[in-house]
């Protein structure tokens, strides 16, 4: 798939500093195959899915023609054994790209710009997407971060550390589209001077009996 020199360049860059937009365009988005390879290396899309009919590993193939999907590639199984069949599968299957009509390049650029706090107006202009699509994906990105933090919270605070706590209600959209559904109250906090030290926990109530034990659980004594 992608060349070994690309893998070396990415590995060296990834271990020294954050990806910037120039690197994203030059080394990851320069062609569809390179983009797919990078997504596979990051475990965002499958590297070798199995066929749902026979259990064999599916083969990666290019798609040509006017009706080819924007990704340009898919998975295919051609079994000529006792139970002959042909089946295909999108490379997006079981990924967070699966239900989107945007190209993989657009989605990666959106993710980069969203993580850099770029305005929605600018993202809409640069990606050529509607305001509704941009809003949906911004909310989806926040939901992904929320779920990650709920699973990977860490105690905060300690001597001479200032912490900030708050509560918020998070809603979700079905298939990342449409109106927000009834959400879940979440209690959380972070260290003021170290943004990656965060905790979040879903709560059924916001009273003293519920929140005080969580403060003791997640915030280290001064």
């Amino acid at each position: 798939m992608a060349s070994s020199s690309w893998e070396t360049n990415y590995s060296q860059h990834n271990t020294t500093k954050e990806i910037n937009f120039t690197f994203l365009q030059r080394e990851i988005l320069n062609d569809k195959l390179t983009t797919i390879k990078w997504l596979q290396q990051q475990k965002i899309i499958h590297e070798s899915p199995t066929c749902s009919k026979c259990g064999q590993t599916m083969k990666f193939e290019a798609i040509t023609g006017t009706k080819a999907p924007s990704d340009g590639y898919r998975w295919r199984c051609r079994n000529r054994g006792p139970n002959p069949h042909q089946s295909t599968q999108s490379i997006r299957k079981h990924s967070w790209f699966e239900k989107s009509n945007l190209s993989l390049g657009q989605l990666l650029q959106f993710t980069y710009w969203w993580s850099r706090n770029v305005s929605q107006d600018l993202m809409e202009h640069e990606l050529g997407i509607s305001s509704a699509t941009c809003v949906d994906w911004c909310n989806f990105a926040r939901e992904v971060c929320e779920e990650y933090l709920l699973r990977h919270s860490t105690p905060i605070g300690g001597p001479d550390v200032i912490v900030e706590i708050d509560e918020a209600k998070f809603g979700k959209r079905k298939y990342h589209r449409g109106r927000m559904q009834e959400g879940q109250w979440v209690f959380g906090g972070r260290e003021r001077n170290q943004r990656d030290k965060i905790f979040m926990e879903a709560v059924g109530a916001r009273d003293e009996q519920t929140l005080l034990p969580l403060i003791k659980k997640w915030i280290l004594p001064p």
Side-chain angles (χ1 to χ4, degrees):
M1 296 175 72
S3 66
S4 58
S5 61
W6 176 88
E7 294 174 357
T8 301
N9 289 341
Y10 174 73
S11 177
Q12 292 174 345
H13 186 94
N14 194 40
T15 56
T16 56
K17 61 180 180 179
E18 294 180 354
I19 293 175
N20 58 35
F21 190 67
T22 299
F23 183 85
L24 178 68
Q25 287 187 305
R26 185 182 68 243
E27 301 292 342
I28 299 175
L29 301 179
N30 60 348
D31 62 64
K32 293 179 179 180
L33 191 57
T34 301
T35 301
I36 293 170
K37 176 66 174 178
W38 185 84
L39 289 169
Q40 289 175 327
Q41 289 190 333
Q42 304 307 307
K43 309 300 182 184
I44 298 173
I45 61 176
H46 280 301
E47 288 186 279
S48 54
T50 56
C51 175
S52 60
K53 295 181 179 179
C54 65
Q56 294 185 3
T57 300
M58 305 183 81
K59 293 185 178 180
F60 185 74
E61 68 174 16
I63 310 173
T64 58
T66 57
K67 295 184 179 180
S70 63
D71 300 333
Y73 295 86
R74 67 184 174 191
W75 295 103
R76 175 184 285 275
C77 177
R78 293 178 178 175
N79 191 320
R80 296 183 174 85
N83 181 28
H85 62 268
Q86 291 194 42
S87 61
T88 60
Q89 178 177 301
S90 167
I91 61 171
R92 302 186 184 206
K93 187 73 172 179
H94 302 309
S95 77
W96 73 326
F97 304 137
E98 184 173 1
K99 297 183 183 298
S100 176
N101 294 322
L102 301 180
S103 71
L104 294 177
Q106 285 177 305
L107 291 169
L108 284 178
Q109 289 180 77
F110 166 84
T111 303
Y112 175 83
W113 283 327
W114 181 85
S115 71
R116 305 302 299 177
N117 294 318
V118 171
S119 70
Q120 291 187 18
D121 285 344
L122 182 57
M123 287 192 286
E124 292 167 19
H125 173 75
E126 293 296 327
L127 295 173
I129 60 178
S130 68
S131 176
T133 297
C134 190
V135 169
D136 280 343
W137 273 92
C138 285
N139 283 313
F140 181 37
R142 282 191 285 269
E143 290 167 16
V144 171
C145 293
E146 171 202 345
E147 291 184 10
Y148 177 86
L149 290 172
L150 286 170
R151 297 176 184 177
H152 299 87
S153 291
T154 182
I156 64 174
D160 301 320
V161 176
I162 299 175
V163 302
E164 299 170 333
I165 59 175
D166 202 354
E167 56 193 35
K169 194 172 189 180
F170 291 86
K172 294 188 177 182
R173 286 173 167 79
K174 187 175 182 181
Y175 304 134
H176 326 310
R177 298 183 177 90
R179 299 181 62 182
M180 295 293 286
Q181 299 177 346
E182 185 66 21
Q184 167 73 58
W185 280 102
V186 173
F187 176 66
R190 72 171 188 176
E191 294 185 3
R192 178 175 293 178
N193 296 323
Q194 194 167 346
R195 297 178 63 185
D196 60 343
K197 296 292 291 295
I198 297 174
F199 80 86
M200 291 177 63
E201 186 160 329
V203 294
R206 294 173 290 149
D207 53 28
E208 182 177 339
Q209 290 77 13
T210 301
L211 300 184
L212 277 180
L214 295 180
I215 291 174
K216 294 178 181 179
K217 174 183 177 181
W218 291 110
I219 301 179
L220 302 174

